[in-house]
Structures are given as structure tokens and as C-alpha cells.
Amino acid sequence: MDLVGACRAFVSVSERGSFTVGAAAARMSQSVASRRVAALEERFGEQLFERTSRRAVLTPFGREMLPVARQLVQSADVLLHEAEAAKRKPWRLAVPGICSTAGLARLVADARGHGITLDLRVAAPAQRLELIHAQQVRAALLAVPADEATWSVPLGLAGVQDPGVRRVYLETLRVGRAAPGPARRIWIQPEDDVPHIRDPLTRLRDAVGLRPAQLVAATDLTTAAAEVLSTHDLLLCSPAQAAELALKWRPIGEITLGRGFALAAAADGNPQPIEGRLGGAIARCLGADTRADTEEGTQA
């Protein structure tokens, strides 16, 4: 038996003294109201109304039960209202700065289509983790190693000129002491300045004999991109970022690198509503739907 529905019919009929009028006020048919009240009476083992041809009059037992039934209906209404308010509460989500404005806008729009309101906070990897720990966001897309990732984004090297090869090997950037001109550098943007990306790249730099200064961690993506656009330097980035900057992207020859992302929630949150409904939209925003094994690279 629907106890709340039955009490709602009981309260509405009692307040109006009529099954017809009370049922209409409760937005149900007279037959439904009658069945619900009858079920309630059967459950209690006592009649709630003295029924006449024109009116429904409360019995003494019905008068005793009415205040409690009214309280139950009011509590149920409050519960339903709070549930709707909770669903409309914005999800403050910390996201990486690699996402384009268009990508973030599409993510927010897709979320609205699923009944989720997103409040995005763009932050660097370490800051996103801090925001979660401080519970300043309900969830965050954290940078994680590939084996812990829900979404993975391939990384490679991009430059202004077409390298003319299918992969770029770091050993080809090695220069002799007498070589003219500055050595070509690889710029790491803040999103990739994390141990599971930076450390393997640093070890490879040393293994192939590059100079320490040939691997540079930039303070921001704009600075790194500007250096690459005005020199022969290379940017460690995703195919989507390379396309946005009109750069020629290729995988790294010696190792496979990728950004890994996983959704984490603050202590009082549950990321499943977002991950379950918006997994595809998040992948598109991150560029994770790009084939990781692409050999041709992204062309301008």
C-alpha cells in the first residue's frame, strides 16, 4: 500500500467533506481516492469516514488519525521538495586547463540535458587535488597514471613545421657542442608537469643525451605555445591541442605517454551521477576520444 498516497487522499477528503471534491484537490480520480481510503481503513481495522450520499464525515477514529496523517503528508511534501532542490544543486567540478572554451561549454550543455548543473573550476593538477581535500568542489578530474585512468589522452610532440616522419625520436634533437644555433627544446605545459609524465620524459632525455635545458616546464600553456610558434621548439601536447594551435603533431618514438584522468568526489559527494551520465561528454572535452595510436598526427 502507498501509505503517503492513502494519507493524502484521507486528508484531502476530510478537509473538503467530499470524496469528489477531495479527490480533485489531491489530483486523483474519485475511484482512486476511494480505493486508497478503503485500503487505509482495512490496514487500521477501523472506519475513517461515515459515508452518506452527499458527504464524507469523519468518525471519531478518523478525527484521531487526521493530525498524524496530515503531518505525514506534509513531511512527504518537504522530502520531495528537498529532493528536487538537491538535484538542482550545482555540481562544482574542478577541470584541467587543457579543455577549450568550446569543449567546456559543450560539457555544461550536455550536463543540462541530463538534469545536472555544472559549476566548473579550472585548475592545475595539484590545485584540483587540494580543492577536493578542502571540499571546495564536489568533484574533480584528477591527473592519474594510465593504469588508474578512466579517460586517457595521447601525448606527443608538436611543432610549426611538418617533421616529415611518422614519429619524433628525442635522440634526433641531440646536438653537438659545436652545433650552430640554440638546441631545440621540448616544452611541458602545467597539466603534464606531474611525476607519471615528467619523470619518464626526463629519464629519456638523459638516456638519449639531451641537455637538461632542452626539457622545460612552462608556467602556463600560452607561454609554451608562444615559444613553439616562434621557434623550432616542440610542445608536449595532445592531438586536439595541436590542431587548435595549428601545429603538426606526432607520437614520441621511444616511449608512449598519455594523460590519465579519473573522477574523484569530495567526502560528501558521489561522482557516479556525473561519470555515468556524462562519461562521453567528459571524454570529448578532454580529447580522450582521439585515437591513441594515431600515426599520421593531426594536420592543420
Side-chain angles (χ1 to χ4, degrees):
M1 180 182 67
D2 178 3
L3 183 59
V4 174
C7 286
R8 192 180 299 280
F10 168 46
V11 170
S12 188
V13 170
S14 67
E15 289 176 344
R16 291 159 180 85
S18 166
F19 272 86
T20 302
V21 179
R27 297 183 179 181
M28 63 183 73
S29 67
Q30 181 179 348
S31 61
V32 169
S34 296
R35 286 198 302 270
R36 288 182 175 179
V37 171
L40 200 57
E41 290 176 328
E42 183 179 354
R43 179 68 177 270
F44 291 155
E46 292 282 349
Q47 278 194 317
L48 297 169
F49 292 103
E50 293 288 351
R51 295 167 173 81
T52 67
S53 59
R54 294 187 176 182
R55 293 188 58 78
V57 181
L58 284 169
T59 64
F61 179 76
R63 286 194 295 272
E64 289 287 337
M65 293 295 100
L66 181 59
V68 181
R70 184 180 286 116
Q71 184 177 6
L72 176 61
V73 171
Q74 291 172 346
S75 297
D77 289 340
V78 171
L79 178 62
L80 292 172
H81 175 77
E82 291 298 321
E84 288 299 319
K87 288 193 295 184
R88 293 193 299 269
K89 182 180 179 182
W91 269 86
R92 180 167 290 177
L93 176 66
V95 297
I98 59 166
C99 300
S100 67
T101 300
L104 292 175
R106 283 192 291 269
L107 175 60
V108 172
D110 286 342
R112 289 180 182 175
H114 288 277
I116 299 172
T117 301
L118 289 183
D119 177 11
L120 302 181
R121 178 77 64 87
V122 178
Q127 292 173 328
R128 298 200 298 275
L129 188 59
E130 291 173 2
L131 288 170
I132 277 286
H133 288 163
Q135 298 190 37
Q136 295 182 24
V137 295
R138 295 181 69 185
L141 285 167
L142 299 183
V144 298
D147 58 353
E148 301 174 18
T150 303
W151 300 278
S152 297
V153 182
L155 289 175
L157 298 176
V160 173
Q161 296 182 346
D162 190 327
V165 293
R166 297 168 67 87
R167 292 178 176 269
V168 174
Y169 288 82
L170 261 65
E171 65 178 357
T172 62
L173 305 181
R174 187 173 58 242
V175 293
R177 295 182 179 179
R184 297 177 72 188
R185 296 170 294 184
I186 296 172
W187 288 86
I188 301 177
Q189 53 189 292
E191 185 60 36
D192 301 322
D193 192 12
V194 290
H196 57 272
I197 294 176
R198 180 190 62 241
D199 292 353
L201 197 58
T202 301
R203 289 193 293 270
L204 177 59
R205 176 202 65 186
D206 297 339
V208 300
L210 300 189
R211 300 171 184 174
Q214 284 185 264
L215 189 61
V216 186
T219 56
D220 57 81
L221 175 57
T222 301
T223 298
E227 289 289 339
V228 172
L229 289 168
S230 60
T231 66
H232 294 293
D233 289 350
L234 299 170
L235 176 67
L236 182 70
C237 66
S238 68
Q241 286 182 304
E244 185 179 356
L245 294 167
L247 299 175
K248 307 300 186 295
W249 185 92
R250 295 292 186 275
I252 299 174
E254 293 95 342
I255 57 174
T256 299
L257 290 179
R259 296 179 185 133
F261 295 98
L263 191 65
D268 62 345
N270 177 8
Q272 290 182 354
I274 289 185
E275 188 169 327
R277 301 180 203 176
L278 300 179
I282 292 173
R284 289 189 295 272
C285 186
L286 295 172
D289 55 343
T290 304
R291 286 182 56 190
D293 60 349
T294 179
E295 295 289 346
E296 298 303 323
T298 300
Q299 300 298 323

